[in-house]
Each structure stands twice: as C-alpha cells, then as structure tokens.
Amino acid sequence: MQPLLNVDTALANILADMKTLEAETVSLPESHDRVIADDIVSPIDLPPFDNSAMDGYAIRYGDSATADHANPVSLSVAMDILAGSAPDRRLEPGQAARIMTGAPIPAGATAVIPVEDTDDDWSKGEDSPLPAEVRFFRQLDRGENIRRVGENIEAGATIMRAGTVIGPAEVGMLAGIGCPRVDVIRQPKVVILSSGDELVDIYDELRPGKIRDTNGYTLAGLIRQAGGIPIRLPIAKDNLESIRALYRRALEINPDLLISTAGVSVGAADLVKVVMNELGDIDFWRINMRPGKPLAYGTIQGVPFFGLPGNPVSTMVTFEILVKPALAKIAGRPFKRETVKAITAGPLKSDGRRSYNRVILSQEKGRIMAQTTGIQSSGALMSMVKADGLAIIPEGVTALPPGSELNVILLREPDW
Ligand code: AMP
Ligand code: MG
C-alpha cells in the first residue's frame, strides 16, 4: 500500500503545477467580478479640473480676510457657474461667482463659501435669481471647498494592480479614467464528469437502487464560486466504453480543468481509473484526510485533472481543500482561506487522519463555539447544507473533549 500523503504536501505539489490563464479583452460592463490582467495606469488626472465641493460662491480667499459675524464682507456676483459648464472669465478682486457642486473653479478664485454661510437664499433651488451681491460672515482658508485637479489620481499613476478583482468601486474608477474595455484573465472552463450505474439526473424517475447525481450540481456551484465556468456532461455508465466516450467528449470542449467524481476507490466498478491511465498521466493518491482519502491527480492530454471521491461530502471537502486553491491560481484570483478559532461545544472524534468535521458556529460570551452538524458520514450531504465551517482535527488526534480549541475553515458568513 502506498503511504498516506500529507494534505499540505499534496496541495503544494498541485499549486506548483497550476498555470494562470492568458488575458482576454472584455467590455467594461462585462468586467464585473473579473480579474485584472495587467496593472492599470491612469492616462488622466482625476478630477480633471479644479472644481467646487459645495454649492456656494467662489471667491478670492483674500477677500474674506476681514469677515466676521459683526462685519460681513459683501462681494458683487459676477458669474453663475453650473456643473458641466466652462467659465470663460477670470474672477477679479471684489467679485464672487455663484457655483454648483462639481462645477469648474474660475481662474482667480481660491476658495468656495458654502451657500449656507451666506445671506443668499436658495429656497427656490435652480430657479433662485442670481443676486447682485452676496454677503458672508467668516474668513476662508486658501483652497477651502475646492477639489484640486489630480487630488484623487494623478495622470501616470498606477491605480490597480494585476490580480485585482473588479468590484463596483473598480468598475467606476475604470469608467472615470475612460476605459471602455479591460484586459482580464480568461475564466477557466471546467468540465464535470460523473459516472455510476446508480446515478440518475434530476428529471429522471428514481427507480429501485438509483440515486440522483448530486455531485454534478454541487461541483458546478463550487466552480462558479471559484470564478470558473462549469460544464456538466451527461452521466457515464459503469462500463469502459461509456466512460471513454465521456472523457473524449470532455476533451473536445478544450477545457482548462477536468474534474471527475467517483470511480477512484477500489470497488469492482471503479473503471474510471482504467480510462484515466489510458488517456492521461495520473497518480492515485491516498491522502491523509477525512473525508476524501482516495483522490486521482494528474493531466490528461495536457489538461490538469482531479478525480475526486464519489461520496458527496468527500467531493465537496476535497474540492474546498485542494481544488479551490488550484482553480484560484488558474483563474488568477487571490486566494485566502478564512479561518476562525472556535471552541468545541461537544466531544469530537476522528480516526487519526486530518479530519474536516462539519460544524455550526455560534457566539457565546465573546467566544466562537463549534457544534457538530450531526452525522459526519461522507454520504450525508445535509451536513454540508447545515455547516458554517469545517473544523480541522489535526493528524494523530482521535478524540477531543468539549471545550477544545480548533481552527475552523469558514464556508459561509455565520448567521449570528
Ligand atoms: P464510488 O467512488 O463510485 O464507489 O462512489 C462512492 C459513493 O458515492 C457511492 O455511494 C456512490 O453512489 C456515490 N456517488 C458517486 N457519484 C455520485 C454523484 N455524482 N452524486 C451523488 N453520489 C455519488
Ligand atoms: Mg461508482
């Protein structure tokens, strides 16, 4: 028997093999949640011109030097500047320009007094008449309420690094610098291969001895979450011809990653192994983890391949631990595992392999408590439906009393 492979060693080997995909160009509206392929440099200053941060009056700040509550300063109103307009005259000493938020500061002006700090009444909104004079009662600092050209970004500055995931702020920023298209990492096409005479699809009748293919669906969800494009093929039967046909079809799609479930253990019908060896260069790993000991890994015609175990929880847990980081690397996505320390609410058992026990998290007196989801059978998919996280029982530990501290991998934001 091959020795059990340590989980961390397996993951390190896998990650060393994975290559990030090339870039493709997409339109800005399509770029949401995609990964930037090259550093982005702004060709322009933002804001592109000095503009007002307030509705009010642009003045020369020196004209406010003597203003206080008892001695207001009065300036003649020489201009009215709306957002989107371009003032064509200089503001002279003794003058003020009525100005709206976002409108360009006229040459000569060095501060903006908000309308609330003047004697002007804008209760009529945009229809308020332009007064001949405006009075105000305080001094202004130089530059007060002026948003300076380039204060947000200077032309030539790197505003986003390669590897950044484009969210709402990034897409807005790219629009701001006038970027209609953006180079992003291509999304990996991931083919899902299920096989088993017992499996039927969701629309089929559940005859005696049959179960529904759940892994095809959970894998599609996991792949999508990891930024890939899942492609689910029809279920193969437990015979060589059917499995060969499925793998040939998978390769015709030109996938970036192949993921199969089932057929990698030692059962009589585990013919997937035979086909993997015919078509590719595959290692069969016995990994020191629970669930998920049998796992196939390698390449088929140059395409990275994972043969995950068939039990639904094993499929999901091996994906989480080994495939998710690999897929993140292929997709060029930053990957960080979210873990918390939690206290076990009851006793936990393991068999000495590194175990990933499904737990529900809660908070008690400032501590995070981990409660088992119940049956930990690798066939019991409900344990994943209930789970907030995977509590890691280290190698060599077979029993943990209540009150033990464990690391828990977060699968979702706990509901506390
Ligand atoms: P195998 O590796 O083929 O021996 O399968 C191990 C267990 O996983 C068996 O109980 C199978 O019925 C189950 N199984 C295999 N593939 C799937 C699947 N796609 N969806 C749900 N259960 C599966
Ligand atoms: Mg099977």
Side-chain angles (χ1 to χ4, degrees):
M1 262 284 178
Q2 210 188 332
L4 288 180
L5 185 63
N6 177 279
V7 180
D8 303 321
T9 310
L11 181 58
N13 291 347
I14 291 166
L15 288 178
D17 292 345
M18 297 299 138
K19 292 186 183 61
T20 301
L21 297 180
E22 73 286 356
E24 65 178 0
T25 305
V26 296
S27 72
L28 189 64
E30 286 171 334
S31 71
H32 178 74
D33 200 35
R34 299 294 300 271
V35 181
I36 293 175
D38 300 305
D39 291 357
I40 306 262
V41 173
S42 176
I44 56 165
D45 287 318
L46 272 188
F49 49 86
D50 289 354
N51 68 90
S52 179
M54 296 293 238
D55 293 331
Y57 285 86
I59 64 162
R60 291 168 170 265
Y61 92 101
D63 281 350
S64 72
T66 58
D68 66 25
H69 211 75
N71 304 291
V73 163
S74 186
L75 299 176
S76 66
V77 178
M79 276 180 263
D80 192 17
I81 310 168
L82 300 174
S85 67
D88 54 0
R89 267 173 299 140
R90 224 185 136 68
L91 192 84
E92 302 300 340
Q95 293 184 336
R98 186 166 78 166
I99 192 163
M100 304 299 153
T101 304
I105 301 291
T110 47
V112 172
I113 176 99
V115 66
E116 303 88 293
D117 296 351
T118 72
D119 67 346
D120 194 6
D121 172 17
W122 283 9
S123 52
K124 295 200 186 106
E126 294 207 344
D127 291 334
S128 303
L130 192 66
E133 296 208 324
V134 64
R135 292 199 314 161
F136 54 93
F137 308 87
R138 69 172 177 89
Q139 286 182 4
L140 276 82
D141 294 329
R142 177 186 275 280
E144 192 173 330
N145 293 318
I146 293 180
R147 301 192 284 218
R148 299 287 304 175
V149 58
E151 78 173 21
N152 193 354
I153 306 170
E154 283 179 15
T158 299
I159 58 165
M160 282 166 227
R161 294 275 171 208
T164 303
V165 178
I166 301 178
E170 285 77 14
V171 89
M173 205 63 243
L174 291 166
I177 63 165
C179 186
R181 281 169 300 279
V182 51
D183 288 346
V184 293
I185 306 290
R186 189 164 63 73
Q187 285 181 290
K189 279 192 283 182
V190 186
V191 174
I192 302 165
L193 305 148
S194 295
S195 62
D197 281 346
E198 76 279 29
L199 300 178
V200 296
D201 210 333
I202 45 177
Y203 305 105
D204 302 326
E205 194 188 334
L206 201 61
R207 294 176 191 273
K210 306 288 183 189
I211 58 164
R212 296 224 159 79
D213 168 19
T214 59
N215 294 346
Y217 292 94
T218 50
L219 281 172
L222 290 164
I223 291 163
R224 213 170 267 129
Q225 270 186 348
I229 302 170
I231 303 163
R232 188 173 162 260
L233 294 184
I235 304 156
K237 293 283 172 207
D238 281 324
N239 67 69
L240 280 177
E241 249 342 281
S242 179
I243 296 168
R244 278 193 193 113
L246 180 70
Y247 277 67
R248 283 198 207 101
R249 195 162 157 196
L251 290 163
E252 280 166 12
I253 292 170
N254 250 330
D256 300 299
L257 182 66
L258 292 164
I259 302 179
S260 77
T261 69
V264 289
S265 50
V266 292
D270 289 336
L271 301 169
V272 176
K273 273 186 173 176
V274 178
V275 175
M276 289 173 191
N277 273 327
E278 275 175 15
L279 295 177
D281 193 3
I282 303 290
D283 283 329
F284 291 90
W285 287 350
R286 292 173 66 243
I287 301 188
N288 193 16
M289 67 187 279
R290 191 175 99 131
K293 182 165 61 179
L295 190 128
Y297 169 71
T299 56
I300 294 184
Q301 298 179 13
V303 183
F305 174 91
F306 286 92
L308 304 184
N311 276 308
V313 177
S314 309
T315 306
M316 290 194 77
V317 173
T318 47
F319 186 99
E320 176 65 37
I321 303 302
L322 298 170
V323 185
K324 197 172 172 184
L327 193 49
K329 185 163 174 198
I330 298 174
R333 284 186 177 261
F335 178 80
K336 191 171 166 286
R337 215 178 262 307
E338 294 284 338
T339 61
V340 292
K341 293 222 182 286
I343 310 294
T344 55
L348 288 182
K349 276 191 284 191
S350 177
D351 66 356
R353 285 181 277 165
R354 186 186 298 182
S355 290
Y356 296 92
N357 280 41
R358 278 72 69 204
V359 292
I360 298 163
L361 299 175
S362 58
Q363 271 183 333
E364 253 175 53
K365 297 180 193 136
R367 297 190 314 172
I368 301 175
M369 304 299 291
Q371 175 92 47
T372 176
T373 56
I375 301 175
Q376 294 288 309
S377 152
S378 57
L381 189 54
M382 239 357 247
S383 73
M384 287 300 285
V385 174
K386 291 180 190 164
D388 294 319
L390 300 173
I392 306 171
I393 305 178
E395 286 89 342
V397 176
T398 50
L400 280 171
S404 309
E405 191 181 69
L406 287 178
N407 286 318
V408 178
I409 295 173
L410 284 184
L411 295 174
R412 62 179 175 215
E413 201 60 47
D415 181 20
W416 39 50

